């Protein structure tokens, strides 16, 4: 689901979400590239490790919160 980038505010920081391919998103935080996340087949949001390009299985509240905003944005 490719779409236009969008901005939002979370916990006092400004984020930009840039949709990539295959449920992957590049996230900028306060104007700097911050992380990449993806939504897996179980609908779980995960961070992608920049060195290995593999999903990182971990509990990450910030990634989950960003993912929830992405879900809300594209369900409009």
């Amino acid at each position: 689901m490719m779409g236009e980038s969008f901005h939002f505010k979370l916990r006092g920081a400004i984020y930009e979400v840039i949709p990539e391919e295959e449920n992957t998103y590049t996230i900028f935080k306060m104007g700097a590239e911050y992380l990449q996340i993806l939504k897996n087949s179980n609908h779980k949001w995960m961070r992608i490790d920049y060195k290995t390009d593999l999903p990182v299985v971990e509990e990450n509240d910030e990634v989950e919160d960003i993912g929830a905003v992405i879900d809300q944005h594209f369900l409009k």
Side-chain angles (χ1 to χ4, degrees):
M1 160 188 3
M2 296 284 288
E4 295 292 318
S5 67
F6 67 95
H7 294 82
F8 67 94
K9 188 173 184 177
L10 177 69
R11 300 183 188 131
I14 303 295
Y15 294 84
E16 180 180 8
V17 175
I18 300 175
E20 304 292 345
E21 52 190 43
E22 300 179 25
N23 289 328
T24 303
Y25 300 84
T26 299
I27 311 300
F28 286 77
K29 183 176 182 179
M30 304 299 281
E33 189 168 344
Y34 182 55
L35 54 83
Q36 282 191 311
I37 64 173
L38 70 84
K39 189 174 194 178
N40 70 13
S41 59
N42 295 328
H43 303 287
K44 172 88 171 130
W45 287 98
M46 299 170 23
R47 176 178 65 85
I48 298 173
D49 185 278
Y50 274 111
K51 292 181 182 177
T52 64
D53 280 335
L54 296 173
V56 177
V57 179
E58 66 182 0
E59 289 295 319
N60 187 320
D61 291 338
E62 184 180 28
V63 169
E64 288 292 329
D65 292 346
I66 292 169
V69 171
I70 292 169
D71 283 338
Q72 287 179 333
H73 179 80
F74 288 113
L75 289 176
K76 289 183 187 175

